[in-house]
Amino acid sequence: QVQLQQWGAGLLKPSETLSLTCAVYGGSFSGYLWGWIRQPPGKGLEWIGEINHSGGTFYNPSLKSRVTISLDTSKTQFSLKLNSVTAADTAVYYCGRGQGHVGRWGQGTLVTVSS
Amino acid sequence: EIVLTQSPGTLSLSPGERATLSCRASQSVGSNYLAWYQQKPGQAPRLLIYAASSRATGIPDRFSGSWSGTDFTLTISRLEPEDFAVYYCQQYDSLRTFGQGTKLEIK
């Protein structure tokens, strides 16, 4: 059964780059979309973007100028970079696997942006 | 962008009762590409329903999804204590967007 394990820096200063990685255990990249979703404290879910097994990407238009999602097939990992962060980017970030809907989720990483 | 509006914001019910949660889309959702998730405090969301009415693996049959036009409904036939949580709908027809959530609380 596939498991997603994510990690990355939890405290950033404004203008820095958020960087998170999600490792996929027990499965391959084929046939699925691999994405990132975030949730500000006490608020709802926001879709950030996705990548398919061929490296094609889809991003939330509101974040597109700052987001890069990439794939490392040799390590079965995928990554999120969000540059020029502000306090508004403070959230729990989740990685996920799906086919539009998200059937498998990582454990979540709280990223706090504060000076 | 397809906007999803969930109602009510909070639903107060007792165990054993029937829960009806609504998700209205601002425009047609192609192929009924709509999912429902359950989220408990401190946990990642869990997929309940996809394609508007298909239950995800391992989801009890007291959870069901239906639709009429741009109105989607999640029904929990008889509430169990573990069902009290926040529920989100999500469309995946045109990129992806989530509704703002409905909190199901114990009355």
mmCIF file of all heavy atoms in Angstrom, chain B residues 12 15 20 22 33 35-36 46 53 59 72 74 77 81-82 91-92 97-98 106:
data_model
loop_
_atom_site.group_PDB
_atom_site.id
_atom_site.type_symbol
_atom_site.label_atom_id
_atom_site.label_comp_id
_atom_site.label_asym_id
_atom_site.label_seq_id
_atom_site.Cartn_x
_atom_site.Cartn_y
_atom_site.Cartn_z
ATOM 1 N N SER B 12 -25.411 20.853 13.300
ATOM 2 C CA SER B 12 -25.437 20.250 14.640
ATOM 3 C C SER B 12 -26.465 19.131 14.673
ATOM 4 O O SER B 12 -27.661 19.382 14.519
ATOM 5 C CB SER B 12 -25.787 21.307 15.697
ATOM 6 O OG SER B 12 -24.844 22.341 15.711
ATOM 7 N N PRO B 15 -25.824 11.629 17.223
ATOM 8 C CA PRO B 15 -25.543 10.284 16.676
ATOM 9 C C PRO B 15 -26.841 9.558 16.358
ATOM 10 O O PRO B 15 -27.829 9.665 17.102
ATOM 11 C CB PRO B 15 -24.775 9.606 17.811
ATOM 12 C CG PRO B 15 -24.098 10.732 18.523
ATOM 13 C CD PRO B 15 -25.083 11.875 18.459
ATOM 14 N N THR B 20 -27.195 15.758 5.913
ATOM 15 C CA THR B 20 -27.222 16.125 4.500
ATOM 16 C C THR B 20 -26.390 17.385 4.311
ATOM 17 O O THR B 20 -26.721 18.439 4.849
ATOM 18 C CB THR B 20 -28.661 16.358 4.014
ATOM 19 O OG1 THR B 20 -29.441 15.175 4.258
ATOM 20 C CG2 THR B 20 -28.681 16.680 2.531
ATOM 21 N N SER B 22 -24.412 20.037 1.583
ATOM 22 C CA SER B 22 -24.600 20.521 0.225
ATOM 23 C C SER B 22 -23.351 21.198 -0.307
ATOM 24 O O SER B 22 -22.596 21.831 0.448
ATOM 25 C CB SER B 22 -25.770 21.509 0.198
ATOM 26 O OG SER B 22 -25.901 22.078 -1.077
ATOM 27 N N TYR B 33 -16.985 15.428 -11.965
ATOM 28 C CA TYR B 33 -15.682 15.273 -11.306
ATOM 29 C C TYR B 33 -15.709 16.044 -9.984
ATOM 30 O O TYR B 33 -15.093 17.103 -9.831
ATOM 31 C CB TYR B 33 -14.564 15.768 -12.200
ATOM 32 C CG TYR B 33 -14.129 14.794 -13.272
ATOM 33 C CD1 TYR B 33 -13.308 15.226 -14.329
ATOM 34 C CD2 TYR B 33 -14.485 13.459 -13.241
ATOM 35 C CE1 TYR B 33 -12.897 14.350 -15.313
ATOM 36 C CE2 TYR B 33 -14.078 12.572 -14.221
ATOM 37 C CZ TYR B 33 -13.281 13.021 -15.254
ATOM 38 O OH TYR B 33 -12.864 12.145 -16.236
ATOM 39 N N ALA B 35 -15.451 15.458 -5.638
ATOM 40 C CA ALA B 35 -15.080 14.572 -4.546
ATOM 41 C C ALA B 35 -15.479 15.185 -3.211
ATOM 42 O O ALA B 35 -15.652 16.403 -3.095
ATOM 43 C CB ALA B 35 -13.573 14.323 -4.570
ATOM 44 N N TRP B 36 -15.615 14.318 -2.223
ATOM 45 C CA TRP B 36 -15.877 14.730 -0.840
ATOM 46 C C TRP B 36 -14.780 14.160 0.058
ATOM 47 O O TRP B 36 -14.359 13.008 -0.105
ATOM 48 C CB TRP B 36 -17.231 14.200 -0.366
ATOM 49 C CG TRP B 36 -18.426 14.844 -0.989
ATOM 50 C CD1 TRP B 36 -19.118 14.428 -2.081
ATOM 51 C CD2 TRP B 36 -19.096 16.023 -0.520
ATOM 52 N NE1 TRP B 36 -20.172 15.274 -2.331
ATOM 53 C CE2 TRP B 36 -20.189 16.254 -1.384
ATOM 54 C CE3 TRP B 36 -18.901 16.893 0.559
ATOM 55 C CZ2 TRP B 36 -21.069 17.330 -1.218
ATOM 56 C CZ3 TRP B 36 -19.772 17.957 0.724
ATOM 57 C CH2 TRP B 36 -20.840 18.166 -0.154
ATOM 58 N N ARG B 46 -9.389 12.847 4.385
ATOM 59 C CA ARG B 46 -9.573 11.471 3.911
ATOM 60 C C ARG B 46 -10.604 11.500 2.795
ATOM 61 O O ARG B 46 -11.695 12.075 2.962
ATOM 62 C CB ARG B 46 -10.042 10.572 5.047
ATOM 63 C CG ARG B 46 -10.322 9.140 4.610
ATOM 64 C CD ARG B 46 -10.638 8.216 5.768
ATOM 65 N NE ARG B 46 -11.927 8.432 6.397
ATOM 66 C CZ ARG B 46 -12.717 7.470 6.879
ATOM 67 N NH1 ARG B 46 -12.344 6.197 6.757
ATOM 68 N NH2 ARG B 46 -13.834 7.760 7.484
ATOM 69 N N SER B 53 -20.422 10.169 -6.776
ATOM 70 C CA SER B 53 -21.221 9.148 -6.091
ATOM 71 C C SER B 53 -20.483 7.834 -5.841
ATOM 72 O O SER B 53 -21.094 6.888 -5.321
ATOM 73 C CB SER B 53 -22.494 8.851 -6.898
ATOM 74 O OG SER B 53 -22.159 8.351 -8.175
ATOM 75 N N ILE B 59 -14.560 2.962 2.616
ATOM 76 C CA ILE B 59 -15.529 3.924 3.175
ATOM 77 C C ILE B 59 -16.860 3.210 3.429
ATOM 78 O O ILE B 59 -17.398 2.560 2.531
ATOM 79 C CB ILE B 59 -15.719 5.123 2.226
ATOM 80 C CG1 ILE B 59 -14.387 5.844 1.997
ATOM 81 C CG2 ILE B 59 -16.769 6.068 2.787
ATOM 82 C CD1 ILE B 59 -13.687 6.318 3.259
ATOM 83 N N PHE B 72 -24.512 19.298 -5.520
ATOM 84 C CA PHE B 72 -23.996 18.011 -5.088
ATOM 85 C C PHE B 72 -24.301 17.832 -3.597
ATOM 86 O O PHE B 72 -24.286 18.794 -2.832
ATOM 87 C CB PHE B 72 -22.486 17.931 -5.335
ATOM 88 C CG PHE B 72 -22.132 18.000 -6.785
ATOM 89 C CD1 PHE B 72 -22.012 19.221 -7.434
ATOM 90 C CD2 PHE B 72 -21.913 16.843 -7.520
ATOM 91 C CE1 PHE B 72 -21.696 19.292 -8.788
ATOM 92 C CE2 PHE B 72 -21.589 16.893 -8.869
ATOM 93 C CZ PHE B 72 -21.488 18.122 -9.499
ATOM 94 N N LEU B 74 -23.692 15.273 -0.067
ATOM 95 C CA LEU B 74 -23.129 14.157 0.687
ATOM 96 C C LEU B 74 -24.123 13.816 1.784
ATOM 97 O O LEU B 74 -24.506 14.694 2.566
ATOM 98 C CB LEU B 74 -21.782 14.534 1.305
ATOM 99 C CG LEU B 74 -21.164 13.479 2.234
ATOM 100 C CD1 LEU B 74 -20.707 12.259 1.433
ATOM 101 C CD2 LEU B 74 -19.989 14.069 3.023
ATOM 102 N N SER B 77 -26.092 8.425 6.382
ATOM 103 C CA SER B 77 -27.430 7.915 6.691
ATOM 104 C C SER B 77 -27.707 7.856 8.190
ATOM 105 O O SER B 77 -28.784 8.247 8.642
ATOM 106 C CB SER B 77 -27.620 6.537 6.066
ATOM 107 O OG SER B 77 -26.630 5.644 6.540
ATOM 108 N N PRO B 81 -20.401 8.295 16.128
ATOM 109 C CA PRO B 81 -19.601 9.312 16.858
ATOM 110 C C PRO B 81 -18.353 9.746 16.085
ATOM 111 O O PRO B 81 -17.973 10.920 16.163
ATOM 112 C CB PRO B 81 -19.234 8.586 18.158
ATOM 113 C CG PRO B 81 -20.336 7.597 18.363
ATOM 114 C CD PRO B 81 -20.727 7.134 16.981
ATOM 115 N N GLU B 82 -17.757 8.839 15.320
ATOM 116 C CA GLU B 82 -16.523 9.177 14.596
ATOM 117 C C GLU B 82 -16.770 10.007 13.335
ATOM 118 O O GLU B 82 -15.826 10.425 12.680
ATOM 119 C CB GLU B 82 -15.750 7.909 14.227
ATOM 120 C CG GLU B 82 -16.483 6.951 13.302
ATOM 121 C CD GLU B 82 -17.260 5.879 14.051
ATOM 122 O OE1 GLU B 82 -17.673 6.125 15.207
ATOM 123 O OE2 GLU B 82 -17.443 4.786 13.465
ATOM 124 N N GLN B 91 -13.805 20.055 -6.722
ATOM 125 C CA GLN B 91 -14.027 19.719 -8.130
ATOM 126 C C GLN B 91 -12.677 19.533 -8.813
ATOM 127 O O GLN B 91 -11.706 20.222 -8.490
ATOM 128 C CB GLN B 91 -14.886 20.782 -8.822
ATOM 129 C CG GLN B 91 -14.246 22.142 -8.989
ATOM 130 C CD GLN B 91 -13.276 22.238 -10.154
ATOM 131 O OE1 GLN B 91 -13.329 21.445 -11.095
ATOM 132 N NE2 GLN B 91 -12.362 23.209 -10.096
ATOM 133 N N TYR B 92 -12.627 18.581 -9.738
ATOM 134 C CA TYR B 92 -11.384 18.344 -10.468
ATOM 135 C C TYR B 92 -11.643 18.259 -11.970
ATOM 136 O O TYR B 92 -10.952 17.559 -12.708
ATOM 137 C CB TYR B 92 -10.647 17.103 -9.939
ATOM 138 C CG TYR B 92 -11.470 15.841 -9.788
ATOM 139 C CD1 TYR B 92 -11.426 14.833 -10.745
ATOM 140 C CD2 TYR B 92 -12.264 15.642 -8.662
ATOM 141 C CE1 TYR B 92 -12.150 13.672 -10.593
ATOM 142 C CE2 TYR B 92 -13.002 14.484 -8.503
ATOM 143 C CZ TYR B 92 -12.945 13.504 -9.471
ATOM 144 O OH TYR B 92 -13.678 12.346 -9.320
ATOM 145 N N THR B 97 -10.571 23.056 -7.298
ATOM 146 C CA THR B 97 -10.930 23.997 -6.243
ATOM 147 C C THR B 97 -11.686 23.245 -5.163
ATOM 148 O O THR B 97 -12.334 22.232 -5.441
ATOM 149 C CB THR B 97 -11.811 25.160 -6.754
ATOM 150 O OG1 THR B 97 -12.901 24.629 -7.524
ATOM 151 C CG2 THR B 97 -11.006 26.121 -7.614
ATOM 152 N N PHE B 98 -11.592 23.773 -3.951
ATOM 153 C CA PHE B 98 -12.288 23.201 -2.794
ATOM 154 C C PHE B 98 -13.393 24.145 -2.341
ATOM 155 O O PHE B 98 -13.270 25.378 -2.480
ATOM 156 C CB PHE B 98 -11.320 23.026 -1.617
ATOM 157 C CG PHE B 98 -10.322 21.907 -1.792
ATOM 158 C CD1 PHE B 98 -9.076 22.161 -2.353
ATOM 159 C CD2 PHE B 98 -10.620 20.612 -1.382
ATOM 160 C CE1 PHE B 98 -8.145 21.151 -2.512
ATOM 161 C CE2 PHE B 98 -9.695 19.590 -1.531
ATOM 162 C CZ PHE B 98 -8.457 19.851 -2.102
ATOM 163 N N ILE B 106 -21.492 17.669 17.182
ATOM 164 C CA ILE B 106 -22.454 16.929 17.998
ATOM 165 C C ILE B 106 -23.401 17.913 18.686
ATOM 166 O O ILE B 106 -22.967 18.882 19.306
ATOM 167 C CB ILE B 106 -21.736 16.076 19.056
ATOM 168 C CG1 ILE B 106 -20.836 15.042 18.383
ATOM 169 C CG2 ILE B 106 -22.764 15.383 19.964
ATOM 170 C CD1 ILE B 106 -20.031 14.204 19.354
#
